[in-house]
Amino acid sequence: MTDETPMARAERFASQYGLPTPILLSPMAGACPPELSIAVAQGGGMGAAGVLTMSPKAIVEWTRAVRSGSNGVFQLNLRVPDPPPVRDPGHESAVRAFLSDWGPEVPAIVADAPLQDYDAQLEAVFDAGPAVVSTHMGLLPADYVARLKAAGVRWFAAATTVSEARAAEAAGADAVVAQGMEAGGHRVTFEPRSDGAGMVGLFSLIPAVADAVAIPVIAAGGIADGRGVAAALTLGASAVQIGTAFLRAPEAQIPQAWADGLAEVAPEDTIVTRAFSGRQARSLPTAYARAATAPDAPEPAPYPIQNNLTQAMRAEAARTGEPGGLSGPSGHRVQIA
């Protein structure tokens, strides 16, 4: 970390990206419609989209829509693939039986639903020409990093520990997004089967990462108002990335049951669980989330198998407004006003 004042450090970062304010929208897969990024950009921040579930065509359409509504910069976020999961048909059958109490019956074939083609997403993101390409749960391949740098595109790499931040810097990242344990949605750890070890609070993580790397640090997790922004900048961050606090904005277009849950949840009520996707994520304490974390519940299948198996339940809950089976990512801090 340099000897710059927090304000000077934040202003320098913001000016590099043409931002009036050093505030970034978190790239939340499935919860970043163009309207939300346009609103954030018009407010002086950086828009974003998590492209995990998006086809190349959808990436092009999102980019076109945002550029038609704003001149602001944005980031496109890629999830680095995990190694192929170890499959256990018997265990998957037990998970499907458990899920039948919370939504439609889940045929065995659902577990085999393919992910979006990662290489095709890489090309679509590159062709879209965003100001920033960001990643979580791992690092980009070296040849792709070289292509980004040649094109003048910056790379932000998310990390949950000092060691991950150092690895990101060594791989060529232009900034590291330090995600504290307070963050809603998936933990961005590089470890697919993380059991919660190494979970660090944001305000312990920021200064440790800022002291360990020379590149800018972007703070993420539990920030929802000016007090959180000021604290993060004081501790060494150059900018902040906010997700949950934007979700109750009408532009986010999330299901009403999810928005209502965010209005009522206390920080200590949120649950970190693998029950929705197979990867650890912080969620609202819905009835399914509580049941799935009970001692007698089957252990979730690995990602993306568990994600495939719970898809019908999550879609049905969103369609009907019944919160029991809803996947409702939520950070520790929600801005209610």
Side-chain angles (χ1 to χ4, degrees):
M1 186 170 66
T2 70
D3 293 330
E4 288 180 296
T5 66
M7 183 61 72
R9 187 171 56 250
E11 289 177 345
R12 183 163 62 88
F13 178 91
S15 67
Q16 289 177 338
Y17 295 92
L19 300 174
T21 60
I23 295 176
L24 287 60
L25 172 64
S26 179
M28 302 169 286
C32 282
E35 293 84 355
L36 183 57
S37 281
I38 291 169
V40 170
Q42 290 175 342
M46 181 184 292
V51 307
L52 171 64
T53 61
M54 296 169 67
S55 68
K57 179 180 178 182
I59 293 170
V60 170
E61 292 173 346
W62 185 95
T63 301
R64 183 180 298 120
V66 171
R67 284 185 169 136
S68 70
S70 169
N71 291 325
V73 297
F74 57 84
Q75 60 168 306
L76 295 178
N77 179 267
L78 291 154
R79 182 192 185 284
V80 178
D82 291 336
V86 176
R87 302 290 298 274
D88 182 340
H91 178 248
E92 290 173 19
S93 178
V95 173
R96 289 190 292 109
F98 180 79
L99 288 169
S100 67
D101 292 334
W102 299 96
E105 293 290 331
V106 183
I109 195 171
V110 168
D112 299 315
L115 295 169
Q116 291 289 337
D117 186 300
Y118 182 62
D119 290 336
Q121 287 181 322
L122 285 172
E123 293 306 313
V125 165
F126 185 84
D127 291 343
V132 174
V133 170
S134 60
T135 52
H136 64 286
M137 300 182 183
L139 302 172
L140 288 170
D143 60 339
Y144 192 78
V145 175
R147 289 177 63 191
L148 293 178
K149 290 186 178 297
V153 178
R154 267 63 171 260
W155 170 33
F156 295 171
T160 61
T161 63
V162 170
S163 61
E164 289 178 351
R166 285 176 170 150
E169 181 179 44
D174 296 288
V176 60
V177 179
Q179 187 204 56
M181 64 180 288
E182 302 90 341
H186 281 114
R187 292 190 66 216
V188 298
T189 175
F190 295 3
E191 299 296 327
R193 294 283 296 182
S194 173
D195 61 0
M199 292 182 71
V200 183
L202 181 63
F203 290 163
S204 294
L205 186 63
I206 294 169
V209 171
D211 288 345
V213 301
I215 56 179
V217 177
I218 300 164
I223 299 174
D225 59 20
R227 293 170 295 178
V229 174
L233 297 179
T234 298
L235 290 170
S238 295
V240 301
Q241 185 165 278
I242 299 175
T244 306
F246 284 123
L247 287 176
R248 294 188 67 233
E251 293 88 352
Q253 303 172 26
I254 64 173
Q256 190 60 48
W258 183 5
D260 291 344
L262 292 174
E264 300 170 358
V265 70
E268 64 269 24
D269 295 333
T270 59
I271 295 176
V272 177
T273 178
R274 294 177 49 243
F276 288 104
S277 72
R279 271 277 199 159
Q280 279 202 331
R282 187 174 296 281
S283 163
L284 294 173
T286 63
Y288 165 74
R290 291 194 299 268
T293 54
D296 58 345
E299 182 182 354
Y303 182 90
I305 307 306
Q306 183 77 9
N307 193 68
N308 292 342
L309 295 177
T310 63
Q311 197 281 328
M313 174 193 71
R314 293 180 281 118
E316 180 75 1
R319 184 184 68 80
T320 63
E322 169 53 50
L326 186 71
S327 172
S330 172
H332 266 176
R333 179 78 170 90
V334 180
Q335 182 66 34
I336 302 302

